[in-house]
Every structure is written in C-alpha cells, then in structure tokens.
C-alpha cells in the first residue's frame, strides 16, 4: 500500500522489534537493517515512504547516512526521521542539521509512535520536495 512502507535502520534489536511490531500491527510494511551501510542499500532499492534512522550505529552513524541520502538526487526526497538515544537538545539539533526531517527520542513512546509516524508521512506528502529525476543537478 502506498504511503506505508517504512525502512528502519537500527542496531538495537529490542528497539527494532518494538518499532516493527507497532508498525506491522498498524498495517505498515517494514524493512530493516542493523547498519547504515546496509540501510543505505535498502533505501536506494526500496525508496520507502519513511526512513527511521537510529543516530547511533556501528561503523557509519545515522548522521552520515542521512547526509548521504540527502546528497543523492535519487533519495533526497525520502522522509528521514532520526532516532536519538537521549533527549538532549544538542542531539536533536544535530539530527536536523544533518538533514533529518524530524526526530524521535528513545525509548519509543508506544502510545504516540504510530500517530507521529503517520504525521511525518502526511507532512511530506503535502509538501513534496525534489522528486528523483534522471537529470543530475549541477552545483
Ligand atoms: Mn544504536
């Protein structure tokens, strides 16, 4: 179903399971990866409606992965929501600066999670950014 494909890039299996269960119970299709490298590959292949991006990942972190998605004409339109491990103000600002469209703080709030994800998807559909095009942008 359109508007319901989520890619979760998260190395913590408990967080991944919780988010996946909540989304699937609510009719979303979920793909996931435990590393940024694998997540980027899936993002390019699947072009999901929303990428839930853990910021703290082994190897390449979620900030670098987000910058990579936003620098690529084929993936820059993807909605990326950062998952920050703590509610420190600095982390949220850093996530937005890296190109995240929004962020969620862990632990996931099971009562508001689905509503929040749905809101991010609707917001991106109402204000579509650059869609992928065959023409590379020169800058
Ligand atoms: Mn992590």
């Amino acid at each position: 179903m359109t508007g319901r494909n989520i890619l979760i890039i998260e190395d913590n299996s408990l967080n991944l399971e919780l988010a996946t269960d909540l989304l699937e119970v609510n009719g979303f299709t979920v793909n996931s990866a435990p590393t940024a490298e694998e997540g980027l590959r899936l993002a390019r292949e699947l072009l999901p409606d929303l990428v839930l991006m853990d910021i703290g990942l082994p190897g390449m972190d979620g900030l670098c992965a987000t910058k990579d998605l936003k620098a690529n004409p084929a993936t820059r339109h993807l909605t990326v929501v950062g998952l920050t491990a703590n509610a420190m103000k600095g982390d949220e600002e850093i996530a937005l600066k890296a190109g995240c469209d929004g962020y969620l703080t862990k632990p996931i709030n099971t009562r508001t999670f689905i509503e929040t994800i749905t809101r991010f998807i609707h917001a991106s559909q109402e204000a579509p950014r650059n869609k992928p095009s065959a023409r590379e942008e020169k800058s």
Side-chain angles (χ1 to χ4, degrees), residues 10-12 15 54-58 106:
E10 165 67 277
D11 65 318
N12 181 295
N15 281 324
D54 182 26
I55 299 303
L57 293 166
K106 294 194 275 188

Side-chain angles (χ1 to χ4, degrees), residues 25-69:
V25 158
N26 285 279
F28 290 85
T29 299
V30 177
N31 285 278
S32 64
T35 64
E37 290 82 354
E38 170 73 0
L40 287 174
R41 193 185 65 74
L42 282 178
R44 295 182 194 114
E45 181 188 322
L46 303 170
L47 298 177
D49 298 296
L50 184 142
V51 179
L52 204 50
M53 178 79 78
D54 182 26
I55 299 303
L57 293 166
M60 181 192 289
D61 68 19
L63 298 173
C64 288
T66 299
K67 285 178 189 163
D68 185 292
L69 290 175

Side-chain angles (χ1 to χ4, degrees), residues 5-139:
N5 292 302
I6 312 289
L7 172 62
I8 307 177
I9 305 175
E10 165 67 277
D11 65 318
N12 181 295
S13 57
L14 288 179
N15 281 324
L16 175 59
E17 272 179 46
L18 175 58
T20 300
D21 287 350
L22 286 168
L23 288 163
E24 287 184 346
V25 158
N26 285 279
F28 290 85
T29 299
V30 177
N31 285 278
S32 64
T35 64
E37 290 82 354
E38 170 73 0
L40 287 174
R41 193 185 65 74
L42 282 178
R44 295 182 194 114
E45 181 188 322
L46 303 170
L47 298 177
D49 298 296
L50 184 142
V51 179
L52 204 50
M53 178 79 78
D54 182 26
I55 299 303
L57 293 166
M60 181 192 289
D61 68 19
L63 298 173
C64 288
T66 299
K67 285 178 189 163
D68 185 292
L69 290 175
K70 295 298 181 179
N72 186 334
T75 52
R76 66 161 44 131
H77 68 290
L78 297 179
T79 299
V80 180
V81 175
L83 264 180
T84 58
N86 43 43
M88 289 175 65
K89 287 281 175 225
D91 285 0
E92 298 162 355
E93 195 182 320
I94 289 167
L96 296 179
K97 264 192 185 151
C100 288
D101 300 280
Y103 57 83
L104 286 172
T105 54
K106 294 194 275 188
I108 288 168
N109 183 329
T110 57
R111 282 178 298 176
T112 58
F113 179 66
I114 293 299
E115 184 191 320
T116 304
I117 292 295
T118 302
R119 192 151 35 83
F120 277 124
I121 291 174
H122 285 169
S124 68
Q125 287 173 345
E126 280 162 20
R129 279 146 298 166
N130 300 324
K131 292 286 178 187
S133 80
R135 205 158 46 94
E136 287 276 276
E137 282 181 26
K138 307 269 193 296
S139 61

